[in-house]
């Protein structure tokens, strides 16, 4: 990994101006690491989505002496991300692993959040209900189709993931659809939609699901598909 060493002026979004002015900083990937006074290290995490920058976050690490382990002095990381768990598990043994892990947590959170924002922006008129947890590791929404009601449930086993590990997509036939075809009393599982959601970003997968939905429903319910 290329490390760029450079002098950097203060940034009010990261720390107080006096902390960063004329300090030597290191640019490591999407992180800016600065050695501060008093055995402190400042880290700015730059996040992005689809190549566009999103909001930065910062964290300050401190050690009272070379014999004591580093601790998190202050940060702007969202409270629902497990920074304290990472501090207890990683910081005492390997500060760089801690710094990298927090960066992965932040980037994955921003990525999941922006994926949800984008499908709301692009397909909001098709989505009837949408729920998510604060870190966006649980996402559920409903798509209202003329023939079916589609429910989508996504779960992410680890907060550093941007693609779900558990996916369930069910098609609930409407009364009109049942009337025009063989009755399907139970909802049908849409395997092609689940595969798309496991392997594509949420906006890409949604487009794929909608494109192939009419044909998938015809095939499933004409053969009495069930869950």
């Amino acid at each position: 990994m290329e490390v760029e060493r450079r002098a950097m002026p203060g940034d009010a979004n990261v720390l107080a101006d006096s902390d960063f002015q004329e300090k030597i900083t290191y640019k490591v990937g999407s992180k800016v690491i600065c050695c501060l006074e008093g055995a402190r290290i400042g880290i700015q995490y730059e996040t992005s989505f689809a190549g566009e920058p999103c909001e930065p976050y910062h964290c300050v690490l401190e050690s009272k002496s070379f014999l004591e382990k580093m601790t998190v002095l202050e940060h702007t990381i969202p409270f629902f991300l497990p920074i304290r768990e990472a501090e207890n598990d990683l910081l005492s043994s390997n500060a760089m692993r801690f710094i990298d892990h927090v960066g992965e947590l932040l980037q994955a959170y921003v990525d999941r959040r922006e994926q949800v924002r984008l499908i709301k922006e692009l397909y909001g008129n098709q989505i009837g209900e949408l729920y998510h947890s604060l870190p966006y590791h649980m996402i559920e929404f409903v798509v209202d189709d003329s023939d079916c009601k589609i429910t989508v449930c996504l779960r992410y086993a680890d907060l550093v993931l941007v693609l779900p590990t558990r996916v369930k997509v069910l098609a609930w036939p409407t009364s009109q659809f049942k009337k025009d075809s063989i009755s399907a009393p139970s909802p049908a599982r849409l395997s092609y939609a689940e595969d798309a959601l496991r392997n594509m970003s949420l906006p890409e997968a949604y487009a794929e699901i909608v494109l192939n939905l009419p044909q998938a429903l015809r095939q499933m319910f004409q053969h009495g598909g069930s869950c």
Side-chain angles (χ1 to χ4, degrees), residues 109-133:
Y109 156 67
V110 169
D111 203 299
R112 293 191 302 268
R113 183 195 69 195
E114 291 301 297
Q115 289 184 52
V116 171
R117 180 194 62 78
L118 192 54
I119 66 163
K120 289 168 65 178
E121 181 180 304
L122 296 175
Y123 309 108
N125 60 326
Q126 302 172 16
I127 298 174
E129 304 167 23
L130 191 152
Y131 307 97
H132 60 80
S133 60

Side-chain angles (χ1 to χ4, degrees), residues 151-154 166-170 189 194 197-198 227:
T151 58
V152 179
C153 179
L154 308 176
R166 291 171 50 202
V167 180
K168 192 170 186 178
V169 182
L170 297 176
R189 198 154 184 172
E194 295 177 349
L197 288 161
R198 288 191 189 97
C227 178

Side-chain angles (χ1 to χ4, degrees), residues 6 8 21 35 38 42 60 84-85 113 126 155 164 171 184 199:
R6 59 192 173 89
M8 182 179 180
Q21 281 179 350
C35 298
V60 178
R84 292 304 173 188
E85 288 87 340
R113 183 195 69 195
Q126 302 172 16
R155 297 291 184 269
N199 295 287

Side-chain angles (χ1 to χ4, degrees), residues 1-188:
M1 184 180 297
E2 181 181 357
V3 180
E4 176 191 353
R5 187 181 183 190
R6 59 192 173 89
M8 182 179 180
D11 187 340
N13 290 327
V14 184
L15 297 171
D17 287 345
S18 59
D19 286 330
F20 265 87
Q21 281 179 350
E22 298 182 358
K23 298 292 183 183
I24 298 300
T25 66
Y26 297 85
K27 182 82 162 84
V28 185
S30 61
K31 300 178 289 292
V32 177
I33 303 175
C34 178
C35 298
L36 307 174
E37 295 178 356
R40 293 180 300 151
I41 298 175
I43 307 104
Q44 173 176 295
Y45 295 97
E46 300 168 352
T47 62
S48 62
F49 178 71
E52 295 297 324
C54 297
E55 69 276 20
Y57 298 90
H58 88 266
C59 179
V60 178
L61 307 180
E62 179 185 48
S63 178
K64 298 189 182 301
S65 74
F66 289 109
L67 299 178
E68 294 187 32
K69 70 175 185 177
M70 302 200 79
T71 58
V72 176
L73 178 63
E74 63 178 272
H75 67 85
T76 62
I77 296 163
F79 71 91
F80 44 78
L81 295 181
I83 185 171
R84 292 304 173 188
E85 288 87 340
E87 178 182 5
N88 294 333
D89 295 341
L90 301 174
L91 190 52
S92 60
S93 59
N94 191 322
M96 202 61 216
R97 278 187 63 200
F98 168 84
I99 292 170
D100 289 344
H101 181 67
V102 171
E104 292 171 358
L105 285 172
L106 287 168
Q107 181 55 54
Y109 156 67
V110 169
D111 203 299
R112 293 191 302 268
R113 183 195 69 195
E114 291 301 297
Q115 289 184 52
V116 171
R117 180 194 62 78
L118 192 54
I119 66 163
K120 289 168 65 178
E121 181 180 304
L122 296 175
Y123 309 108
N125 60 326
Q126 302 172 16
I127 298 174
E129 304 167 23
L130 191 152
Y131 307 97
H132 60 80
S133 60
L134 286 174
Y136 290 83
H137 71 313
M138 295 187 292
I139 302 168
E140 297 181 5
F141 60 90
V142 175
V143 181
D144 290 320
D145 182 81
S146 58
D147 294 325
C148 277
K149 180 178 181 180
I150 311 299
T151 58
V152 179
C153 179
L154 308 176
R155 297 291 184 269
Y156 300 75
D158 195 309
L159 291 179
V160 299
L161 299 176
V162 297
L163 294 175
T165 50
R166 291 171 50 202
V167 180
K168 192 170 186 178
V169 182
L170 297 176
W172 302 77
T174 62
S175 57
Q176 182 61 38
F177 191 90
K178 290 186 207 177
K179 179 181 177 181
D180 296 339
S181 62
I182 297 174
S183 177
S186 300

